[in-house]
Structure formats: C-alpha cells, structure tokens
Amino acid sequence: MKSPTFSSPSVNGSDRLTEITLYLTIPESYRQEPLITQLVSRYQLQVNILAATLGTNGGQGQFKLTLIGQSEAINDALTYLEELQVSTVLDQDLDGW
C-alpha cells in the first residue's frame, strides 16, 4: 500500500510546521526496531503516541500517532515507513480510535 502524502502551503517561502494524525501497523519483524525514534531523530518530527496495542507473545504493533514537523519532513518519514512496508493510514476523522 502506498503511503499517503501530506502537503501544506508554504508561508513566505519557508515550510511551516504542520500536524497529521495517522495509524501505523508495524510488522512483527520490526518489533525490536526503534522506528518511532527514527521519526524523531532522522526527520526532526515531534511524535505524540495517542494509542498503542501490541500483540501478546510477539505479533504486530498498532499505533495512533500525531506527527508535527515540516511537511517535507513528514512526507520523507512516510516514504521511509513505506519502504519498510509499515502500513500507514491518515486519520481523516479526529473522533478517536
């Protein structure tokens, strides 16, 4: 599945901070990898974990996250997750999980 692309208009030629909420499904093979930490360190995003579930005895993990950063950094992070085959779905409805 192709990751969604998020765009935000620039203000005076500079990229302003934007915010998106999305759901991630992380395969069991990445369970021990610091994927969320990579979003912070590699892409300079602020990450807020709104909800999370982890399978017992291994399994995939599911997260609801808010990402805050420049729109280009958010798009780069979504591409990174797509390359790892991490399922990402933008939250179009902010009513909750």
Side-chain angles (χ1 to χ4, degrees):
M1 170 168 40
K2 184 164 172 46
S3 292
T5 300
F6 180 77
S7 61
S8 174
S10 294
V11 177
N12 296 330
S14 65
D15 203 12
R16 65 184 174 109
L17 291 182
T18 57
E19 178 178 322
I20 65 167
T21 300
L22 71 154
Y23 299 94
L24 296 182
T25 301
I26 299 175
E28 183 176 6
S29 59
Y30 288 114
R31 188 176 177 127
Q32 298 300 318
E33 299 296 322
L35 298 183
I36 294 174
T37 300
Q38 290 292 340
L39 299 179
V40 174
S41 63
R42 188 184 271 188
Y43 302 102
Q44 291 77 49
L45 298 177
Q46 296 175 31
V47 177
N48 185 17
I49 301 171
L50 302 173
T53 60
L54 299 174
T56 58
N57 300 322
Q60 65 186 17
Q62 297 175 326
F63 295 85
K64 181 178 181 180
L65 305 175
T66 297
L67 303 180
I68 302 169
Q70 295 183 339
S71 59
E72 182 177 351
I74 291 173
N75 285 331
D76 290 346
L78 294 174
T79 299
Y80 163 72
L81 293 170
E82 178 184 344
E83 290 170 356
L84 296 177
Q85 298 180 338
V86 171
S87 171
T88 59
V89 177
L90 285 177
D91 183 10
Q92 301 296 327
D93 183 27
L94 299 177
D95 288 339
W97 193 354

